[in-house]
Amino acid sequence: MTISLVVLYLLIIAFLGYLGYRKTHGASDYLVAGRDIHPYIMALSYGATFISTSAIVGFGGAASVFGMGILWLTVLNIFVGIFIAFVFFGKRTRIMGYHLQAHTFPEFLGRRFQSPFMQKFAGMIIFLFMPLYAGVVLIGAAKFIQHQFNIDYTTALFFFTLIIAVYVIMGGLKGVMYTDAFQGTIMFVGMLVLLIYTYYTLGGFIDAHSALTAMPVPPPLAAKGHTGWTSMPSFGSEFWWVLVSTIVMGVGIGVLAQPQLVVRFMTVKSNRELNRAILVGGVFILLMTGVAFISGSLSNVFFSKNVNNIEFCQITGAIMEVCPGKKIVTVSAENLARIRAQHPGAQINDEIDLHQGRPHVPTRNGSISIVAAGGNVATVIPQYIKQSMPKWFGLLFMLTLLAAAMSTLSSQFHAMGTAVGRDFYEQIVKDKTEAEERSVFISKIGIGVTILVSVLLAYILPKVYIRGEAIIARGTAIFFGLCAGSFLPAYLGALYFKKITKAGALAGMIGGFSVASFWLLFVHAAESSVIGLSMALFGRPALFGKTLGIVDPMFIALPVSIILTVAVSFFSQKPDAEHVDKCFKNI
């Protein structure tokens, strides 16, 4: 049954990819789907691109640590990512993009400010940093396939990526959007069933949430500011900064400047289509993120009631992790006694185990080394589905996650490839006629290269983050925050402010990117300690310690970018009035 279902799904994907290939006749079709996409397809493509395994597996797993406070991200996703994006950004982007004949987000910025360098610089950011985002999406999908089919992670990663690569390279954006719409429909059905079945399994809405509220917070999490599973962390605590600045604000605001989403606004023929797409997109995002976060939080209730072999994971902070793994976690005797007291009769795994050939025994201070489950919250949702849901839903959810990952990855690969072909290659070749003729081919080569880089990151990252970081959620937040700091002020200025100059937009973009990069490399402890450059140069895992080490890069980079954009525009040469009038025609 599983094989038949997967084969049928892939055959439909193959047909839709072939349909996109047959309807692609030039650069406009390959890059912006001919600017005549149906609003339903556009809305589902936007939503399916927005929501990936990062939201369902990564952020759903993070919800098992942070609790219901992460639902504020759903609020921002709908209000900012759909309403603000479609009404205040999308309509002007569509009109202005048409006047400028822009086919990519970097090209839109470059032509709006008459700066080929800006187009190349924006394309370079996408080419260099979007593979991180694509890599963590690949991790979420490959981990689920690994658990679902009991196959090797590397094998799952390779074949899954190969399937996506074929239809993205062949079908262009039309192929991507056709498959997105189909995959979005599967995601909608799968998440709706998950919501219903989660409450059914836990005894209903009231019983489920009452049990979650009553669950005690482990001391390691309480020490970081965790106040309860249905409340926000303590204001200003380490947990508060991670939840609010990195997850909620970083992703909730960063969505406005996502290149693979912005280009969707250029694929419809009128603003009427965008108005019709708002309702579809809003309901879709509500169901996708809301259900993932609620299920992730409530998975703690299920594990505490139904799992006999309980393992407390001090690395990730997750209450229950029951997935297979060989990571060793040291839990104090006091905490071990507390866990036993909370779960009488449960078999606690505190036996001596081998880790890399070395036995772990009780330490001098009375702590006991126990085997933690994988050390990564990305495994919480797959294990929750596997253990709590009937097998038939496992098949449906498998398709849901495959669809979520494939829809996002296909758009990411397309955006990265066009950054190479359209935004970089065309700008450095002197013969523009020849460059435009070859840009689609170069874009396909770029897609292939960025796919290889993304796969390499997906293979390496789980090995690098040995401390069990929630790498899927964190990798997504990093890219969203980087885009907000680098692109958002220039993008907003391009749409609304006629006096923003080329020099101002460039200063803001370069300044925001530089500050965000510096913060990631040397200040924000979660990344700088893993990258290791700060340690190599200054002998410290992060500069300034915990004082600023918990502040997300976007909180610093975005204000700096805004100030530079406005200040430099005030003192630099004003833009050409005729060009500005052309951009704002009919707006």
Side-chain angles (χ1 to χ4, degrees), residues 443-458:
S443 295
K444 293 180 179 181
I445 299 296
I447 291 172
V449 172
T450 52
I451 286 175
L452 291 176
V453 175
S454 301
V455 170
L456 185 62
L457 287 172

Side-chain angles (χ1 to χ4, degrees), residues 527-544:
E527 288 80 34
S528 63
S529 59
V530 175
I531 295 170
L533 188 59
S534 178
M535 176 63 75
L537 295 178
F538 304 107
R540 302 175 63 180
L543 301 180
F544 313 120

Side-chain angles (χ1 to χ4, degrees), residues 545-572:
K546 290 187 176 181
T547 306
L548 295 175
I550 58 176
V551 179
D552 189 77
M554 190 200 71
F555 267 60
I556 307 299
L558 184 57
V560 169
S561 182
I562 293 172
I563 292 171
L564 285 173
T565 301
V566 175
V568 175
S569 292
F570 185 77
F571 292 104
S572 55

Side-chain angles (χ1 to χ4, degrees), residues 35-37 39 90-91 94-95 265-276:
R35 303 185 192 271
D36 61 352
I37 288 292
K91 294 179 179 180
R94 187 200 68 78
I95 297 173
F265 300 138
M266 305 182 199
T267 63
V268 293
K269 59 185 178 182
S270 72
N271 285 350
R272 181 185 177 189
E273 274 72 17
L274 288 177
N275 289 333
R276 293 165 63 188

Side-chain angles (χ1 to χ4, degrees), residues 176-498:
V176 168
M177 295 188 74
Y178 291 160
T179 55
D180 281 354
F182 170 65
Q183 290 159 342
T185 304
I186 293 176
M187 292 164 62
F188 188 91
V189 174
M191 297 303 282
L192 180 61
V193 175
L194 174 60
L195 178 66
I196 295 171
Y197 216 95
T198 293
Y199 283 123
Y200 173 77
T201 302
L202 299 179
F205 181 87
I206 295 177
D207 288 347
H209 286 266
S210 297
L212 184 64
T213 303
M215 288 189 69
V217 176
L221 301 190
K224 295 181 178 182
H226 203 307
T227 60
W229 302 102
T230 54
S231 61
M232 291 291 289
S234 298
F235 178 78
S237 65
E238 180 180 346
F239 250 48
W240 186 89
W241 276 103
V242 173
L243 177 60
V244 174
S245 72
T246 300
I247 295 180
V248 175
M249 299 295 289
V251 176
I253 295 178
V255 65
L256 290 174
Q258 287 295 294
Q260 72 278 16
L261 296 180
V262 171
V263 75
R264 289 325 187 250
F265 300 138
M266 305 182 199
T267 63
V268 293
K269 59 185 178 182
S270 72
N271 285 350
R272 181 185 177 189
E273 274 72 17
L274 288 177
N275 289 333
R276 293 165 63 188
I278 292 174
L279 179 61
V280 176
V283 174
F284 183 86
I285 298 298
L286 172 64
L287 197 62
M288 293 300 105
T289 60
V291 173
F293 302 161
I294 290 171
S295 300
S297 300
L298 292 176
S299 68
N300 288 320
V301 178
F302 171 81
F303 288 144
S304 67
K305 290 183 177 180
N306 298 282
V307 177
N308 292 323
N309 190 353
I310 297 172
E311 299 173 349
F312 172 69
C313 182
Q314 193 174 7
I315 289 180
T316 62
I319 291 288
M320 308 297 162
E321 288 198 15
V322 291
C323 46
K326 290 295 182 181
K327 293 231 188 299
I328 301 300
V329 182
T330 299
V331 177
S332 68
E334 179 184 352
N335 284 340
L336 195 61
R338 176 184 56 78
I339 295 173
R340 284 198 172 113
Q342 290 176 356
H343 307 281
Q347 179 185 356
I348 308 298
N349 183 4
D350 60 352
E351 298 176 356
I352 297 175
D353 192 46
L354 292 177
H355 179 60
Q356 296 179 348
R358 300 188 302 272
H360 283 243
V361 296
T363 61
R364 292 180 181 178
N365 62 4
S367 297
I368 297 177
S369 294
I370 65 173
V371 179
N376 196 318
V377 295
T379 57
V380 172
I381 293 296
Q383 283 298 321
Y384 171 63
I385 298 299
K386 190 173 184 178
Q387 298 200 25
S388 69
M389 303 294 170
K391 288 187 176 180
W392 66 264
F393 180 77
L395 296 178
L396 175 60
F397 195 73
M398 173 194 67
L399 291 184
T400 300
L401 281 190
L402 288 178
M406 292 176 74
S407 58
T408 299
L409 285 164
S410 60
S411 300
Q412 290 170 332
F413 293 153
H414 183 268
M416 290 185 287
T418 55
V420 175
R422 186 78 177 187
D423 301 317
F424 196 79
Y425 173 77
E426 278 196 33
Q427 301 306 308
I428 63 175
V429 175
K430 293 183 178 180
D431 189 341
K432 298 303 179 184
T433 302
E434 180 184 352
E436 188 167 354
E437 291 175 353
R438 292 176 57 85
S439 66
V440 172
F441 173 75
I442 300 298
S443 295
K444 293 180 179 181
I445 299 296
I447 291 172
V449 172
T450 52
I451 286 175
L452 291 176
V453 175
S454 301
V455 170
L456 185 62
L457 287 172
Y459 179 77
I460 293 175
L461 283 175
K463 301 178 184 294
V464 174
Y465 278 76
I466 58 175
R467 298 174 305 159
E469 297 279 357
I471 56 176
I472 298 178
R474 186 168 295 282
T476 303
I478 288 172
F479 184 74
F480 273 59
L482 187 65
C483 286
S486 303
F487 299 142
L488 188 53
Y491 181 36
L492 179 63
L495 296 177
Y496 278 94
F497 301 101
K498 296 182 178 182

